């Protein structure tokens, strides 16, 4: 799977930026980087010096001291000498950039690992090429009970259609195959897989020779994933965690649930993350809560919330997002899974139990139901308690002025994926095909959310779009709809500190004394302060503002390369502690 978000087509607005008043261009660590496969040694005391440290504590910092699992000091080179003799290790940064580790606020870890290690159709340019990849994969995996794949997008193919069941039956030699569309809200399957799921042809969302959606899709997914052995599942999860660590991601929000991955998958991932040498994993379980007993069961699974992909609707690509007005290219308004009263009951029960609630909502009608439902819950249990709980909404694409105001009023976190806009926005993209150009231009209004005071947390929804944190920040700055773009500083904050705040932690995601020692070291070019155009935070582009710089993310420039990732003081990617 590519590690880069597709570049927006056409011309981009110029980016007013001033070069940051700093040292020479970032180079590399003096020790060769390598990936760890075993649990790292217990963290000691480390002085990092001779680079750039991105910290609000000192915008010109070049050095940092880590004691165990916490940041102890951040400052400039002149003061670093006083620490050199009292630490266990000194790391010469050689001009490298140190930042907080990223938090990806929406991931499906096992599916990501399967896409990394298995059949990935995201790069297939035609239906013919996709079928050839299916055939080659089937030939190479004769022992697999069910073949698993991901990433097809018929809208990007000249044939303009997904593979038929007959074509897949032929390509696989009649074996069971489960193959998800890029948005993971529909799938094509072979006849042999249907035969493994009794009654699937009578379920909602089944069509004789078209992608599965709804209940039918959930049933075939459950049957397909049930064939994974524990070893295969662990291998996939480990691959995803290793990939995240190599990209400077220190924390993942796993969005699991009974219609997505299953309890064994979820609890196994949390255990792997606790025991292994990789990113932290924060778990959400997408199941409706009606009582304190329900809430307790979700906690016992290890989840911090009954949230994530608790579906209020589906996706735009699969025509299942719930809209107020019909799709431009289909004569219906999608699918509503939850009504406002369902939302209200869930949020009220979670709030009473001290549990975070949340929903997957993409279409404008689904978002209206969520906001109306959370507001109704606030009338039952009190607005203050609702706001304090930091309930969240995933994706939140088709917002209106009314629903944005509702997010702000109710302190709902918008857990969003800028790579969606990079992949499907623009005048000729999938959004415009589904909704028409006018409605498409209203999607993913990040600037309006920030202006209203709505908390943002950025993520990938991997494997829907790849793990790619700097590409995600770039996509938020250089939004395909110019008015929706935000500054690099705001996007970076939403992809680091924003993910921590979304789980109720205000002390993390930033390099200041006392914060968790979750950080990444990068090889990159000169640092600047960057906004999408002159209307956004213009004052901060002046070096005299003392605003910490970030890499120049202008499309076409190389993105930073991760040299080291550290989580809780332990190196999980890069050179080992010595």
């Amino acid at each position: 799977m590519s590690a880069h978000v597709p570049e927006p087509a056409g011309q981009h607005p110029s980016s007013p930026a001033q070069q940051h008043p700093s040292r020479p261009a970032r180079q590399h660590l003096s020790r060769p980087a390598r990936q760890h496969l075993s649990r790292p040694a217990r963290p000691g005391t480390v002085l990092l010096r001779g680079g750039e440290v991105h910290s609000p504590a000192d915008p010109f910092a070049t050095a940092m001291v880590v004691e165990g699992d916490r940041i102890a000091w951040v400052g400039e080179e002149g003061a670093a000498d006083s620490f050199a003799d009292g630490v266990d290790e000194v790391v010469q940064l050689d001009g490298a950039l140190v930042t907080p580790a990223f938090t990806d606020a929406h991931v499906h870890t096992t599916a990501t690992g399967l896409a990394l290690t298995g059949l990935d159709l995201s790069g297939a340019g035609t239906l013919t090429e996709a079928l050839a990849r299916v055939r080659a994969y089937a030939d190479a995996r004769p022992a697999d009970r069910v073949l698993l794949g991901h990433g097809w997008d018929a809208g990007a193919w000249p044939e303009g259609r997904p593979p038929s069941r007959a074509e897949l039956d032929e390509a696989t030699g009649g074996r069971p195959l489960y193959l998800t569309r890029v948005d993971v809200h529909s799938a094509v399957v072979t006849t042999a897989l249907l035969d493994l799921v009794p009654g699937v042809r009578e379920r909602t969302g089944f069509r004789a020779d078209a992608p599965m959606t709804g209940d039918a899709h959930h049933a075939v997914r459950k049957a397909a994933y049930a064939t994974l052995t524990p070893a295969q599942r662990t291998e996939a999860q480990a691959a995803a965690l290793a990939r995240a660590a190599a990209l400077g991601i220190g924390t993942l929000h796993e969005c699991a649930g009974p219609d997505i991955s299953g309890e064994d998958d979820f609890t196994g991932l949390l255990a792997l993350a606790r025991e292994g040498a990789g990113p932290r994993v924060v778990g959400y379980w997408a199941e409706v809560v009606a009582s304190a007993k329900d809430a307790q069961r979700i906690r016992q699974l290890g989840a911090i919330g009954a949230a994530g992909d608790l579906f209020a609707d589906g996706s735009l690509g699969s025509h299942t997002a719930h809209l107020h007005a019909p799709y431009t290219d289909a004569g219906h308004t999608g699918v509503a899974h939850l009504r406002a009263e369902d939302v209200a009951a869930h949020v009220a029960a979670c709030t009473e139990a001290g549990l975070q609630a949340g929903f997957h909502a993409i279409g404008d009608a689904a978002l209206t139901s969520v906001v109306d439902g959370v507001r109704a819950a606030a009338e039952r249990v009190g607005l203050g308690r609702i706001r304090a709980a930091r309930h969240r909404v995933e994706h939140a694409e088709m917002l209106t002025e009314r629903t944005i105001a509702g997010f702000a009023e109710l302190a709902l976190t918008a857990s969003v994926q800028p790579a969606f806009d990079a992949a499907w926005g623009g005048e000729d993209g999938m959004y415009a095909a589904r909704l028409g150009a006018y409605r498409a231009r209203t999607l993913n209004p990040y600037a309006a959310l920030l202006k209203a005071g709505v908390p943002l947390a950025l993520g990938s929804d991997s494997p829907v779009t790849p793990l790619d944190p700097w590409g995600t920040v770039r996509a938020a700055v250089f939004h395909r709809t110019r008015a929706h773009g935000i500054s690099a500083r705001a996007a970076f904050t939403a992809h680091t500190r924003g993910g921590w705040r979304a789980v109720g932690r205000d002390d993390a995601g930033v390099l200041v004394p006392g914060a968790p020692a979750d950080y990444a070291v990068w090889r990159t070019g000169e640092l600047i302060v960057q906004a999408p155009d002159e209307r956004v935070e213009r004052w901060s582009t002046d070096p005299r503002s003392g605003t910490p710089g970030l890499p120049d993310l202008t499309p076409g420039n190389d993105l930073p390369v991760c040299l080291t990732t550290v989580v809780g003081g332990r190196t999980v990617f890069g050179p080992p502690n010595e």
Side-chain angles (χ1 to χ4, degrees):
M1 180 178 291
S2 170
H4 296 283
V5 174
E7 301 268 344
Q11 297 297 314
H12 297 275
S14 62
S15 175
Q18 298 289 333
Q19 198 170 63
H20 202 251
S22 58
R23 277 59 59 184
R26 260 56 48 198
Q27 300 297 322
H28 52 77
L29 294 178
S30 55
R31 298 174 298 180
R34 67 180 178 85
Q35 183 175 324
H36 291 284
L37 299 179
S38 59
R39 189 168 182 82
R42 188 174 185 84
T45 304
V46 181
L47 167 64
L48 299 93
R49 64 184 306 180
E52 303 275 5
V53 179
H54 185 88
S55 172
D58 184 345
F60 306 111
T62 62
M64 181 172 77
V65 173
V66 175
E67 290 184 353
D69 62 354
R70 296 280 163 174
I71 307 296
W73 174 84
V74 175
E76 297 185 49
E77 193 65 25
D81 290 337
S82 63
F83 295 97
D85 293 336
V87 299
D88 298 320
E89 180 185 9
V90 176
V91 175
Q92 297 292 342
L93 293 169
D94 296 336
L97 170 66
V98 183
T99 72
F102 285 99
T103 293
D104 192 311
H106 192 118
V107 174
H108 303 286
T109 307
T110 303
T112 296
L114 290 171
L116 288 169
T117 61
L119 175 56
D120 179 13
L121 297 185
S122 59
T126 67
L127 172 59
T128 300
E129 180 184 351
L131 288 169
R133 291 192 187 189
V134 171
R135 188 175 292 106
Y137 186 77
D139 290 343
R141 309 280 294 209
D144 288 5
R145 290 179 57 198
V146 174
L147 301 167
L148 302 172
H150 168 74
W152 61 269
D153 184 0
W157 294 341
E159 296 90 345
R161 67 172 180 85
S164 69
R165 189 160 300 134
E167 288 169 330
L168 293 175
D169 287 345
E170 186 278 328
T172 61
R175 295 168 63 191
L177 167 72
Y178 171 72
L179 192 58
T180 49
R181 189 186 181 278
V182 64
D183 60 5
V184 199
H185 282 269
S186 59
V188 289
V189 302
T190 56
T191 303
L193 181 58
L194 290 180
D195 292 343
L196 296 178
V197 189
V200 67
R201 291 170 175 81
E202 285 72 51
R203 288 178 177 260
T204 303
F206 177 84
R207 289 179 289 175
D209 196 21
M212 301 277 162
T213 61
D215 289 344
H217 176 216
H218 296 160
V220 295
R221 172 164 54 195
K222 184 176 181 179
Y225 279 11
T227 66
L228 285 175
T229 67
Q232 286 175 312
R233 186 176 63 218
T234 300
E235 178 188 16
Q237 292 170 348
L241 294 177
R243 179 62 174 159
L247 293 169
I249 298 170
T251 302
L252 302 172
H253 294 185
E254 167 69 11
C255 293
D259 292 329
I260 300 167
S261 53
E263 292 185 10
D264 289 345
D265 182 280
F266 183 63
T267 57
L269 171 63
L270 296 182
L272 181 66
R274 285 193 303 269
E275 299 163 3
R280 305 174 191 267
V281 175
V282 177
Y284 287 96
W285 185 255
E287 192 166 359
V288 170
V289 168
S291 66
K293 183 178 179 181
D294 292 340
Q296 180 61 22
R297 196 186 74 80
I298 286 174
R299 283 197 182 93
Q300 288 172 346
L301 288 174
I304 71 161
D309 277 334
L310 182 53
F311 297 118
D313 67 345
S315 74
L316 292 167
S318 292
H319 291 100
T320 52
H322 187 208
L323 314 182
H324 284 305
Y327 286 89
T328 297
D329 61 349
H332 60 82
T333 58
V335 181
H337 295 301
L338 295 173
R339 303 164 299 170
E341 48 266 43
D342 302 320
V343 171
H346 177 71
V347 171
C350 286
T351 305
E352 293 281 11
L355 192 67
Q356 195 175 20
F359 305 91
H360 162 120
I362 287 178
D364 51 0
L367 286 160
T368 296
S369 293
V370 167
V371 169
D372 288 350
V374 178
R375 186 176 288 116
E379 293 173 358
R380 298 184 198 176
V381 302
L383 178 59
R385 294 179 69 188
I386 292 292
R387 290 178 59 87
R390 304 192 190 191
H391 303 309
R392 53 190 282 173
V393 181
E394 310 302 314
H395 316 309
E397 293 199 75
M398 229 175 148
L399 290 158
T400 63
E401 289 185 7
R402 178 177 176 272
T403 48
I404 290 173
F407 271 51
E409 171 198 355
L410 301 162
L412 296 174
T413 295
S415 170
V416 298
Q417 296 75 40
F420 287 8
D421 174 74
W424 303 312
E427 298 297 311
D428 299 320
M430 182 270 288
Y431 290 152
R434 294 289 185 269
L435 304 172
Y438 174 78
R439 282 193 293 177
R441 284 192 292 269
T442 69
L443 265 60
N444 302 302
Y446 304 138
L449 285 165
L450 286 181
K451 184 178 179 181
V454 175
L456 287 186
L458 303 192
S460 63
D461 198 10
S462 181
V464 175
T465 59
L467 298 170
D468 180 14
W470 285 112
T472 296
V473 174
R474 171 186 279 173
V477 177
F478 295 96
H479 199 291
R480 286 180 178 268
T481 301
R482 179 172 174 172
H484 297 334
I486 58 179
S487 71
R489 180 177 64 170
F492 179 80
T493 299
H495 212 353
T496 50
R497 197 170 192 180
W500 282 97
R501 286 173 166 168
V503 299
R505 290 281 299 275
D506 293 329
D507 63 332
V510 61
L511 301 182
V512 297
D518 288 24
Y519 61 90
V521 182
W522 306 90
R523 182 174 68 243
T524 186
E526 285 297 327
L527 304 185
I528 62 175
V529 180
Q530 189 168 37
D533 62 64
E534 70 278 0
R535 298 168 299 170
V536 180
E537 302 197 20
R538 186 174 185 177
W539 68 271
S540 70
T541 64
D542 189 326
R544 294 171 297 180
S545 69
T547 303
L550 287 167
D552 184 353
L553 300 177
T554 303
N557 287 354
D558 290 337
L559 293 173
V561 175
C562 185
L563 303 173
T564 304
T565 305
V566 174
V567 176
R570 300 177 186 272
T571 301
V572 299
F573 173 80
N577 291 333
E578 297 176 347

